[in-house]
Amino acid sequence: MRLPALGRGPGLSTSVYASVVPEMNGVSIPYLFKDTTEEAAFLNGKPGQVLKEKLAQKDTVALSFLTRTGREITNSVRPIEQPSDLKGLKIRVPGNPLWTDFFGTLGASPTTMAFSEVFTGLQTGTINGQENPIEVPWTNKFSEVQKYVSLTNHINDAWVLALSSKKWGTLSEDQKKALTDASVETATFKTGYDSEQSKKQLDELTAKGMKANELSASGLEEFKAASRGLYPKFSELIGKEFFDQAIAFTASN
């Protein structure tokens, strides 16, 4: 029994939870994961368990983490092939310092904005672009107001399937087991499903006129190098202990 999807996502994202549990931003260290399979291993392994324990301290029971595909950049000005292509572009980002530090360092003008205002912002030129997993420009018809989609895969985040400790305490053991089992099954399903769907969604966006580009090996390395230059700042933002654990986990896989 998989849990049903709720709206745009099944819960709050790790980037939102990071405002109360800084370690949540460990999932979003740029270029930490090769793909969502590696992200799933991270979230299902010891780092994920640490995050669940941190949430428990905030009276939140995390049942499972659902991966999302890597975030891509869309804009209406030019293809993004290396960091210098972002110079001067107003890119909408979540209200999270990891994002603003990353894009600001790359030369963009990171702009926080409620998601409900993004389409209009892109349409009017208030912002030049945005970054999200490919499902977001596809679902929200950004092909109508954006010309380029660049497959930068720069940051990952995840959905958190969770409920309050108070609510959890009202459930029977059978109910707890059923919810936990269903959440784990949902997480496993979603990792594979999203990978398949993102390819179809990209094809549909390009069929509607968007121009897609992948990064060259040298362009990718420039993005990674810029990210590594921010590690001291990210370590402070996330907390050194969990930052080091996140880096070590992926380095050993």
Side-chain angles (χ1 to χ4, degrees):
M1 178 186 71
R2 287 193 299 269
L3 297 173
L6 304 176
R8 286 184 58 240
L12 295 176
S13 72
T14 49
S15 61
V16 173
Y17 275 108
S19 63
V20 292
V21 178
E23 288 86 355
M24 283 290 181
N25 267 333
V27 181
S28 298
I29 298 169
Y31 297 102
L32 182 64
F33 307 115
K34 294 190 292 288
D35 50 35
T36 48
T37 299
E38 188 171 61
E39 182 189 10
F42 179 94
L43 293 169
N44 292 329
K46 186 176 179 182
Q49 186 57 43
V50 171
L51 294 179
K52 287 183 177 181
E53 291 167 0
K54 295 291 182 181
L55 284 170
Q57 294 170 15
K58 301 296 181 178
D59 295 322
T60 300
V61 176
L63 299 174
S64 67
F65 298 102
L66 309 186
T67 58
R68 304 182 76 192
T69 54
R71 299 172 78 97
E72 322 290 13
I73 300 171
T74 69
N75 83 98
S76 57
V77 180
R78 54 181 170 264
I80 306 303
E81 298 177 335
Q82 56 266 328
S84 59
D85 291 327
L86 284 164
K87 188 172 182 179
L89 296 187
K90 294 180 181 178
I91 302 294
R92 184 269 177 184
V93 298
N96 182 312
L98 186 146
W99 268 258
T100 53
D101 286 345
F102 179 66
F103 278 93
T105 295
L106 295 179
S109 178
T111 304
T112 58
M113 175 185 291
F115 188 80
S116 60
E117 300 172 7
V118 172
F119 186 96
T120 301
L122 295 170
Q123 190 175 43
T124 60
T126 303
I127 50 175
N128 303 121
Q130 61 83 53
E131 54 79 57
N132 262 301
I134 206 72
E135 70 192 57
V136 175
W138 177 79
T139 301
N140 293 277
K141 300 182 178 180
F142 287 171
S143 56
E144 297 177 7
V145 290
Q146 295 278 264
K147 186 174 181 180
Y148 303 103
V149 53
S150 300
L151 306 180
T152 48
N153 285 300
H154 50 280
I155 287 174
N156 286 77
D157 60 348
W159 297 115
V160 185
L161 279 179
L163 67 168
S164 70
S165 298
K166 182 177 180 180
K167 181 64 178 178
W168 182 252
T170 68
L171 302 178
S172 69
E173 291 306 311
D174 285 347
Q175 288 172 324
K176 290 177 180 178
K177 183 179 187 306
L179 273 177
T180 301
D181 290 349
S183 71
V184 171
E185 183 181 348
T186 300
T188 302
F189 165 81
K190 191 173 185 297
T191 297
Y193 178 80
D194 283 357
S195 295
E196 294 175 5
Q197 287 297 108
S198 63
K199 295 180 178 65
K200 296 176 184 178
Q201 290 162 351
L202 179 62
D203 287 343
E204 291 187 25
L205 289 173
T206 56
K208 292 180 183 296
M210 292 191 77
K211 297 182 179 180
N213 70 282
E214 295 186 7
L215 299 181
S216 66
S218 60
L220 177 60
E221 184 49 44
E222 285 187 47
F223 273 97
K224 289 182 175 180
S227 174
R228 289 192 293 269
L230 284 165
Y231 275 11
K233 186 172 285 189
F234 291 155
S235 178
E236 183 177 347
L237 176 68
I238 294 162
K240 185 178 187 304
E241 183 178 358
F242 191 73
F243 176 87
D244 290 347
Q245 184 177 343
I247 297 296
F249 184 92
T250 52
S252 65
N253 282 283

